[in-house]
Amino acid sequence: MSTADIPEGTVRNILEQDTLKWVFVGGKGGVGKTTCSSILSILLAQVRSSVLIISTDPAHNLSDVFQQRFTKTPTLVNGFSNLYAMEVDPNVENDDIGGNEGVDSLFSELSNAIPGIDEAMSFAEMLKLVQTMGYSCIVFDTAPTGHTLRLLQLPSTLEKGLQKVMSLKSKFGGLISQMTRLFGLDDEFGEEAILGRLESMKDVIEKVNKQFKDPDLTTFVCVCIPEFLSLYETERLVQELAKVEIDTHNVIINQVLYDEEDVESKLLKARMRMQKKYLDQFYMLYDDFNITKLPLLPQEVTGVESLKAFSRNFISPYQPSTSRGTVEDVERRISTLKLQLEDTEAELDRHRKGKQKV
């Protein structure tokens, strides 16, 4: 593949694809998914009329990254007029699902008998709510890989659950009807109410499932770091996404070490060599992907201003400072050394005063 054929190492392709409705961001735990999804939502808000970012990770971090409290209700992000955020629990909560108390109670029991059906119902309710709000683009800050894959397989889980209930109805439908009449319960507590609930959720999630499988409407952004386990997890994720027919053509490699100046640390040099080995493998495996590399920073990226500042690395490839021996480089290093010297002298002065008091 020639240099001209290599896809650009940015996320511009996502920003320029104005048909996108759903953007999933996922990967192994601890690789920076929330930071990346937050920055993607900020960039999308610059080119879209309204954007919603949803955290489906039980260990929510959106509030920490934006330094603002979010709940299960969409909240306007401070400093924006068209960017909203919400944190939802992927586990079903009876209080959040509309319906009468009897059906909720019976469904709660049913959900224990069908693994994954509670998540499917919760996910369907959330999507049903989101669809009525009219956001032009929804970004999902997902949980670590295993949970995310389960979330994307929920349509089939719900369908299996419905088939199981249907089989129960054919076997015990008469008995259930007799029991409801015996205890004086109305028809709203019968099996038809349960089937009605499942059918409505199935309709919603099937509609969304079709959208998820449409590359014009949906894409998945894989976030990783240049290490073996993350590479392995990313490959597993890409393979599973292909199985469920969800488009993915962007990989973000976070926490990359760049040799920007003379590095004397043996540890850093060893880490750079290790990272280079895995970076080469990423480029071999995903030669037709847009691979965005992000530098490892000495501080965390939190707060809107920090997110905006770091976002420039998403729309133009990060360029390390490789000039050595120039006047600017020498002046920068002298300035750094002066600051370090001042800090050391101040620390020494404090120690001397402490000894004099003793």
Side-chain angles (χ1 to χ4, degrees):
M1 182 180 284
S2 67
T3 306
D5 295 330
I6 298 173
E8 186 182 28
T10 70
V11 298
R12 284 183 183 274
N13 60 311
I14 293 174
L15 304 179
E16 292 168 359
Q17 191 176 338
D18 54 13
T19 58
L20 274 179
K21 173 76 173 177
W22 313 93
V23 179
F24 288 87
V25 181
K28 188 176 178 292
V31 297
K33 295 185 300 295
T34 301
T35 301
C36 291
S37 59
S38 300
I39 290 175
L40 262 177
S41 66
I42 288 173
L43 292 172
L44 283 164
Q46 295 173 5
V47 295
R48 296 296 193 94
S49 58
S50 60
V51 176
L52 173 67
I53 178 169
I54 302 175
S55 171
T56 60
D57 188 343
H60 298 301
N61 292 312
L62 272 185
S63 295
D64 298 325
V65 169
F66 280 104
Q67 296 182 338
Q68 180 184 346
R69 177 67 181 150
F70 298 122
T71 63
K72 58 187 176 184
T73 304
T75 304
L76 187 65
V77 178
N78 293 335
F80 295 88
S81 60
N82 64 337
L83 176 59
Y84 298 80
M86 64 188 286
E87 296 178 333
V88 297
D89 188 343
N91 296 315
V92 72
E93 295 180 24
N94 289 337
D95 294 340
D96 298 336
I97 298 180
N100 62 74
E101 188 179 343
V103 172
D104 288 338
S105 177
L106 187 59
F107 184 81
S108 179
E109 293 297 321
L110 181 67
S111 68
N112 293 329
I114 307 172
I117 196 72
D118 54 346
E119 287 180 316
M121 288 292 287
S122 179
F123 193 52
E125 286 285 357
M126 181 189 68
L127 293 175
K128 192 175 180 181
L129 175 68
V130 165
Q131 281 191 312
T132 62
M133 294 176 178
Y135 294 101
S136 64
C137 188
I138 294 99
V139 179
F140 283 90
D141 171 36
T142 68
T145 309
H147 185 94
T148 299
L149 292 174
R150 194 163 69 249
L151 199 69
L152 296 172
Q153 291 163 354
L154 289 181
S156 59
T157 300
L158 194 54
E159 192 171 352
K160 288 174 184 175
L162 185 60
Q163 289 170 354
K164 189 166 184 177
V165 173
M166 290 292 286
S167 67
L168 288 173
K169 181 195 171 188
S170 62
K171 290 179 182 178
F172 305 109
L175 178 61
I176 293 173
S177 298
Q178 289 177 21
M179 291 295 286
T180 54
R181 285 197 298 271
L182 178 63
F183 289 104
L185 301 172
D186 55 30
D187 292 338
E188 290 182 351
F189 191 64
E191 76 277 5
E192 292 300 330
I194 302 297
L195 288 172
R197 273 287 274 296
L198 282 170
E199 283 285 8
S200 65
M201 291 302 99
K202 183 169 176 283
D203 291 343
V204 171
I205 214 161
E206 278 185 348
K207 180 181 176 183
V208 172
N209 193 36
K210 285 180 182 177
Q211 293 185 13
F212 283 1
K213 293 182 178 182
D214 186 344
D216 291 332
L217 298 172
T218 304
T219 193
F220 197 107
V221 180
C222 301
V223 182
C224 54
I225 56 177
E227 294 181 7
F228 170 74
L229 286 178
S230 188
L231 173 64
Y232 173 80
E233 195 91 342
T234 302
E235 177 59 15
R236 185 168 76 95
L237 178 58
V238 169
Q239 295 293 336
E240 290 295 330
L241 289 171
K243 286 180 186 176
V244 294
E245 300 175 56
I246 292 179
D247 172 76
T248 177
H249 48 260
N250 279 80
V251 171
I252 295 176
I253 306 177
N254 198 15
Q255 301 177 18
V256 177
L257 286 166
Y258 288 90
D259 189 4
E260 299 189 79
E261 56 185 38
D262 291 326
V263 177
E264 297 177 2
S265 168
K266 291 182 179 179
L267 175 63
L268 281 178
K269 287 180 178 178
R271 296 290 295 181
M272 284 179 192
R273 286 194 297 271
M274 181 204 73
Q275 286 195 354
K276 185 180 184 307
K277 178 176 71 174
Y278 292 117
L279 285 169
D280 290 343
Q281 291 183 32
F282 270 110
Y283 280 102
M284 273 198 320
L285 282 168
Y286 310 112
D287 58 352
D288 57 341
F289 278 54
N290 294 80
I291 298 179
T292 305
K293 292 194 299 181
L294 302 176
L296 176 66
L297 299 183
Q299 73 284 340
E300 293 180 330
V301 182
T302 56
V304 172
E305 292 309 313
S306 293
L307 291 168
K308 284 182 176 178
F310 195 57
S311 69
R312 65 174 177 267
N313 299 312
F314 283 65
I315 52 179
S316 60
Y318 177 75
Q319 296 295 333
S321 173
T322 54
S323 59
R324 298 183 185 180
T326 64
V327 174
E328 292 81 3
D329 185 48
V330 172
E331 286 177 346
R332 178 170 57 82
R333 297 192 66 186
I334 289 173
S335 177
T336 302
L337 289 170
K338 280 181 178 178
L339 289 172
Q340 290 174 350
L341 181 61
E342 287 173 6
D343 289 340
T344 305
E345 287 176 341
E347 183 69 24
L348 182 61
D349 192 45
R350 282 196 296 272
H351 279 293
R352 283 173 178 166
K353 286 179 180 177
K355 285 183 177 180
Q356 287 174 2
K357 287 180 181 179
V358 173

